[in-house]
Amino acid sequence: YNARLNHFNISGFPMRIAIFFLGFCLPALFCMSSIAQERSLGDALKVIKGVGVAGLGHEDAVKAMATLNAASADDIPEMLQGMEGASRLSLNWIRGAIQSSLDRGVLPNEEVEAYWRDVSGSHMGRLMAYELLVEANPDFSSNHVASMLEDPSLPLRQLAVQDFIDR
């Protein structure tokens, strides 16, 4: 009899704990992490907005991008809203996540157009929404560009002025 080998006995208490952990707790942890990931799109956007120069917040942003890159195309309106108050560097991260989501699904046109029409939204978010709508439907530009001549968003107004000059 070797007392050291007793803890490996399948009927022993330590082995039962290991089986319980591996069989029940570990899968539950994986499920909870995927649920947390699904619920944390807004949190991930906040982390991305914290990215700064010289690598500030970069490690956390890489982890947050895993959440954003797993988002569906239906989450694009929320990501567009997340552009509000973002720095230029953060905007690049969010744009990449939006393109990644779009690669896996169909643009929710109605929601994105509603965001584009809301003049209180982020100027860069609204510009991205417009670009996505034009990419999905090239006629969108010719049907709506004239309405942007007096838009409060400078980037959208510039597109309308350029279109006016080109005509």
Side-chain angles (χ1 to χ4, degrees):
Y1 173 76
N2 187 342
R4 288 185 181 180
L5 296 177
N6 190 30
H7 68 278
F8 289 106
N9 184 348
I10 191 92
S11 63
F13 184 71
M15 187 56 89
R16 287 184 197 164
I17 290 175
I19 290 173
F20 176 77
F21 181 77
L22 291 173
F24 297 103
C25 295
L26 202 55
L29 287 173
F30 283 118
C31 288
M32 288 184 346
S33 69
S34 67
I35 290 170
Q37 191 174 26
E38 290 173 10
R39 286 189 271 173
S40 65
L41 189 64
D43 292 337
L45 287 166
K46 287 178 189 173
V47 171
I48 297 298
K49 286 183 184 181
V51 172
V53 294
L56 178 69
H58 181 80
E59 283 185 40
D60 293 334
V62 169
K63 293 173 188 170
M65 279 303 287
T67 300
L68 293 182
N69 285 333
S72 72
D74 291 335
D75 295 319
I76 289 175
E78 184 176 351
M79 287 190 268
L80 289 169
Q81 290 171 353
M83 295 176 112
E84 183 70 41
S87 68
R88 288 182 182 186
L89 184 58
S90 298
L91 287 171
N92 284 337
W93 288 69
I94 298 170
R95 280 188 203 108
I98 289 172
Q99 288 297 335
S100 177
S101 298
L102 193 56
D103 289 345
R104 290 186 310 281
V106 177
L107 183 71
N109 284 330
E110 291 179 15
E111 292 87 352
V112 172
E113 186 172 343
Y115 179 79
W116 169 72
R117 289 185 185 281
D118 181 5
V119 295
S120 67
S122 158
H123 299 302
M124 296 310 290
R126 291 183 61 230
L127 176 63
M128 176 106 191
Y130 176 79
E131 290 169 347
L132 291 171
L133 291 165
V134 169
E135 185 178 320
N137 177 10
D139 291 334
F140 187 86
S141 177
S142 59
N143 295 335
H144 295 88
V145 73
S147 68
M148 298 186 306
L149 276 171
E150 296 181 21
D151 197 281
S153 171
L154 180 60
L156 292 173
R157 207 168 48 245
Q158 286 174 330
L159 288 173
V161 169
Q162 186 63 51
D163 181 70
F164 181 78
I165 291 169
D166 291 344
R167 288 181 189 214

